[in-house]
Amino acid sequence: MPAQSEPYDGPAIVTFAKELEWRRKQAGLTKKELAEKLGFADSYVGQVELRKNLPSEEFAAALDTYFKVDGLFRRLWERINETRHLTILPPGFPEYLGYEEKASHVRVFSTNLISGLFQTEAYAGTIISLMMGSATPKFVAERMERKSIFERENPPHTFLVMDEDVIRRSVGGTEVMREQLNYLLEVGQREKTQLQIVPYAVGFHAGLAGSFIILGFENEPDVAYTEASAEGILLKRRDRVALQVVTWDLIQGQTLSTEESLAMIQDAMEQL
């Protein structure tokens, strides 16, 4: 897996890195010397210590064998693997999920990719693989579980608006994208769901600043969630949420009708 610019901050990853550094220094070895003994690139050893890359199962096994620590690094690797999905969640998103489960109204705007609430397993798997290096079934299943809010006895009223680019961009290949678009057509037919698209013809519009979600509740103030550059922000202050509502209104004012939007999705699917 390629190194990233910012270090991972998951507790298990931090523990692995500190344990590696401590045992290497106790053995009086440089990163390059340890790498040579283990058969790994010295840059990789440094990346793992700096938490800019994740340790592989093979690397953990090699450390256990060399340092004779009775499976310590293997156990730490397993813990990293179990909690790895938490390391890719943007700040604010775990708290947002708690609100999402009880929302009575959901307004979603997507500018680049289809929102996780409306993804198929294959589409979600493609995205998760890109972010994590592999699409572990557990992580895909957790994303699919979010859809359970639409299966409640009283599901939320849902308003889904997407930039046309979302349905034209191929993710995962022809079959994955065709299945995903067909699923969107099904979503658009739900009784309490309104699906609309902002067409290319609009040109520049307020939604190009980024995707966001506004959640409404029966007896609580609205909250909003937005992401940019892998940073998530949960908005609870009324003035900031109000700005998102204004942005939503500006975007929705430039959408196609529901019927035109579903026809565009059908056209995109037929062109694949």
Side-chain angles (χ1 to χ4, degrees):
M1 196 175 169
Q4 61 176 39
S5 58
E6 297 297 324
Y8 292 97
D9 59 3
I13 299 172
V14 172
T15 301
F16 192 107
K18 288 184 176 180
E19 191 68 29
L20 168 59
E21 182 181 19
W22 184 81
R23 292 192 179 274
R24 176 181 63 77
K25 290 182 176 179
Q26 285 293 106
L29 298 171
T30 65
K31 295 171 186 176
K32 182 176 182 180
E33 290 169 340
L34 177 60
E36 290 175 349
K37 292 181 182 296
L38 299 180
F40 287 83
D42 55 307
S43 60
Y44 178 69
V45 174
Q47 290 166 7
V48 173
E49 280 197 13
L50 293 173
R51 296 180 282 118
K52 293 190 175 182
N53 207 336
L54 298 177
S56 66
E57 183 177 9
E58 295 74 19
F59 185 59
L63 291 172
D64 282 333
T65 299
Y66 182 78
F67 290 116
K68 298 180 174 61
V69 288
D70 192 26
L72 170 65
F73 286 101
R74 167 72 190 197
R75 291 190 293 274
L76 288 173
W77 175 83
E78 289 176 346
R79 182 58 179 160
I80 290 172
N81 202 42
E82 290 170 357
T83 60
R84 188 177 171 187
H85 64 297
L86 298 176
T87 68
I88 67 168
L89 294 179
F93 189 71
E95 185 181 1
Y96 159 81
L97 290 176
Y99 286 98
E100 184 180 85
E101 292 176 354
K102 57 184 181 180
S104 59
H105 296 78
V106 179
R107 283 175 280 184
V108 179
F109 173 70
S110 298
T111 188
N112 294 310
L113 296 170
I114 294 166
S115 169
L117 281 171
F118 308 98
Q119 293 175 1
T120 62
E121 289 190 26
Y123 187 98
T126 299
I127 295 172
I128 292 173
S129 291
L130 179 63
M131 297 173 68
M132 301 180 59
S134 65
T136 305
K138 173 184 175 183
F139 305 152
V140 176
E142 288 177 351
R143 179 163 295 186
M144 295 300 100
E145 178 62 24
R146 289 176 59 195
K147 297 181 184 180
S148 64
I149 67 171
F150 302 119
E151 299 167 3
R152 299 183 322 212
E153 182 177 346
N154 185 26
H157 290 277
T158 304
F159 304 88
L160 172 59
V161 174
M162 296 175 289
D163 189 88
E164 183 177 348
D165 196 44
V166 174
I167 64 169
R168 300 294 184 185
R169 174 180 289 110
S170 180
V171 174
T174 300
E175 291 307 314
V176 170
M177 200 62 197
R178 182 178 288 117
E179 179 190 36
Q180 176 63 71
L181 292 176
N182 187 61
Y183 180 67
L184 285 180
L185 291 176
E186 295 175 9
V187 168
Q189 299 297 330
R190 291 175 183 169
E191 183 179 355
K192 298 177 72 173
T193 298
Q194 178 176 302
L195 186 157
Q196 294 177 287
I197 292 175
V198 181
Y200 285 143
V202 167
F204 181 81
H205 61 87
L208 295 179
S211 302
F212 62 91
I213 301 175
I214 303 172
L215 302 179
F217 308 90
E218 295 294 344
N219 300 303
E220 299 177 33
D222 291 357
V223 300
Y225 178 79
T226 183
E227 288 183 6
S229 302
E231 290 294 322
I233 303 174
L234 179 64
L235 305 174
K236 292 188 280 187
R237 275 178 38 187
R238 294 195 179 190
D239 58 335
R240 301 190 69 185
V241 174
L243 287 174
Q244 291 298 129
V245 172
V246 170
T247 301
W248 170 269
D249 290 341
L250 289 171
I251 296 168
Q252 194 173 39
Q254 296 181 303
T255 60
L256 299 174
S257 69
T258 296
E259 292 74 18
E260 292 171 323
S261 297
L262 293 178
M264 180 177 282
I265 293 174
Q266 182 69 45
D267 176 70
M269 186 169 66
E270 292 174 354
Q271 289 190 32
L272 289 172

